[in-house]
Amino acid sequence: MRYIIIGAGAVGGVIGGRLAQSGREVVLVARGAHLAALRADGLRLRVPEGELTQRLPAVAGPEELGVLRADDVLVLAVKTQDTEAALAAWGPAPVEDGTTAAESLPLLCAQNGVEGQRRALRRFRHVYGVCVWLPASHVEPGVVSAAGTPLTGVLHLGRYPHGTDDTLRRIAADLDRAHFEAPVVADVARWQYAKLLSNLANAIEAVSGPLESEAARALYDRVRAEGEAVLDAAGVAYASDGEQKEARGDKVTLVPLAGTPRGGGSSWQSLARGTGSIEADHLNGEIVLLGRLHGVPTPLNELLQRLADAFAREHRAAGSLPVAELVRLADEAGHRAA
C-alpha cells in the first residue's frame, strides 16, 4: 500500500515520516512554505532517537500524481476547518481501475473531533475514523516533531460510523511497525468522543496558555462537565478515563527534544503560526451544537468557541488573555445562563 498524507503538518507529517522510516511508500501533501521545504530538504522528523530526514514525494494536490493507484490509502490529516476543500480536491481523483478516489479508496480521518469523518462520508464510500493520541508539533517549514517514547502515539482505528475490516487490519499492521500502537475497534467514535472531551481544553490553552494553574485546571473541569452533560443528554457513548488510561498507560511518555522547545497543542500552534483559523468550531462547537439540539445550556463552551475564533481571526498572540480574566468571563457567562 502507498500512503498519501493529505496535510503533512504535525500529525500527518509524523505519521508519514514514521511510516516511511519503517519502509512504507509515502507521499506528502502540503502547501506554501512547508511544501517548498519538503521538496528542497525533505521531511525532518525530530523524535527521541534524533532527527531523521526522509526525502519523500511532496505534492500540492492530486493532479501532480496523475492517476492514483488501486492500493493507495488516503490519510486526511488537515485541520477540520480545511476538510471540505481537501475532500473536494481528492474525491474526484481518478484511480487506475476506472473508479475515483471517493468510490474506491480508503480514507482515514486522522483529525480531532468527529466532524471531519462525518463530512467525508458524504463524498467517500470507505471512511475510517482515527482517535489520534499523538503529541506532535509543526516546528517550522519542513520540520515536525514527536516527543513520545517508547511509542510515538496510539491510534485507535475503526470504520466510520462503526465496524472493522481487513483493509483496516492491514493498515494497523503497518502502523504497528512504525512506532505506533493501532488498536482496531468496532466503536471508534466512542474513543473519539472521549478524546473530544479532553480537546475542550485546547481553546483554554490557546487563549490563556498551558493549564498549569489551579484556576485554569478548575475552569477546564467546568468546561468538561458541560461536555459530559451534553453527551449524556444526546445518548452519545464515550470511553471512560479508566479505559483510556488502560489503553495508553505509559506507552507515550514525553521527553525533551534538542532544538525543539515544547509548545502547546494543536489550537495553540494554529495561533502561534498565525494561520488565521482554529478548530474550536469543531471541538467546543461540537458540544455547543449538541447542547442546542438537546436542550442543554453550554455557556462556557460557547464562550471558548467565540474567544478562540476571535483570537484566530484577529491574529492575537497565543496565550495572551490572563487566566484570571478568562475565569471572570466564564463566571459571567455561567451566571447569564443560569
Side-chain angles (χ1 to χ4, degrees):
M1 291 187 289
R2 180 176 68 168
Y3 290 88
I4 299 175
I5 311 296
I6 304 170
V11 168
V14 171
I15 292 175
R18 282 303 203 186
L19 283 168
Q21 182 194 3
S22 72
R24 299 302 94 196
E25 192 175 356
V26 173
V27 175
L28 304 177
V29 182
R31 59 189 178 184
H34 188 46
L35 175 59
L38 292 173
R39 286 172 166 168
D41 303 312
L43 174 69
R44 294 162 57 195
L45 173 60
R46 294 178 183 170
V47 287
E49 60 264 39
E51 182 171 295
L52 312 172
T53 299
Q54 302 284 345
R55 294 194 173 276
L56 305 170
V59 302
E63 297 79 11
E64 296 176 54
L65 289 177
V67 177
L68 301 182
R69 292 170 16 186
D71 68 342
D72 280 338
V73 175
L74 306 182
V75 180
L76 186 66
V78 300
K79 294 290 195 298
T80 306
Q81 61 268 29
D82 298 321
T83 294
E84 199 61 36
L87 295 173
W90 286 88
V95 180
E96 61 187 1
D97 61 6
T99 66
T100 65
E103 291 175 299
S104 62
L105 296 186
L107 177 75
L108 271 69
C109 295
Q111 302 171 290
N112 283 332
V114 296
E115 181 62 20
Q117 60 203 17
R118 196 184 282 154
R119 294 188 180 189
L121 202 60
R122 292 178 184 271
R123 296 176 183 264
F124 279 76
R125 187 172 294 163
H126 305 289
V127 176
Y128 300 85
V130 185
C131 181
V132 179
W133 189 261
L134 169 54
S137 296
H138 184 174
V139 180
E140 60 187 68
V143 184
V144 297
S145 70
T149 187
L151 294 178
T152 299
V154 177
L155 308 172
H156 283 76
L157 310 176
R159 284 193 68 94
Y160 181 76
H162 50 74
T164 64
D165 61 22
D166 289 339
T167 296
L168 200 59
R169 283 182 276 274
R170 290 196 298 273
I171 294 168
D174 283 347
L175 290 168
D176 285 341
R177 289 189 287 265
H179 291 265
F180 297 101
E181 183 174 290
V184 175
V185 296
D187 57 350
V188 68
R190 205 169 63 89
W191 292 89
Q192 292 173 313
Y193 276 107
K195 174 77 183 308
L196 173 65
L197 290 173
S198 67
N199 284 148
L200 299 180
N202 288 20
I204 300 175
E205 181 184 53
V207 303
S208 292
L211 277 66
E212 295 174 343
S213 69
E214 183 177 337
R217 291 191 293 270
L219 176 59
Y220 165 64
D221 288 342
R222 294 165 60 193
V223 172
R224 181 187 173 102
E226 254 187 24
E228 291 178 348
V230 164
L231 295 185
D232 291 344
V236 174
Y238 51 94
S240 68
D241 287 345
E243 286 179 277
Q244 295 182 81
K245 289 177 182 176
E246 183 177 354
R248 297 174 182 131
D250 56 359
K251 299 171 184 175
V252 184
T253 300
L254 301 186
V255 298
L257 297 180
T260 306
R262 175 62 181 160
S266 59
S267 296
W268 183 93
Q269 291 179 48
S270 292
L271 292 183
R273 294 202 310 275
T275 62
S277 68
I278 199 166
E279 285 184 297
D281 285 345
H282 307 292
L283 300 176
N284 306 87
E286 180 70 20
I287 296 302
V288 172
L289 171 62
L290 289 174
R292 290 170 179 167
L293 288 172
H294 296 278
V296 179
T298 58
L300 303 186
N301 280 282
E302 288 182 37
L303 170 68
L304 289 171
Q305 178 186 4
R306 185 168 64 253
L307 284 174
D309 283 345
F311 265 59
R313 185 174 61 253
E314 298 165 11
H315 294 276
R316 294 169 63 179
S320 59
L321 181 69
V323 170
E325 176 64 10
L326 179 58
V327 171
R328 184 189 69 78
L329 292 172
D331 288 342
E332 289 182 354
H335 289 320
R336 286 196 298 270

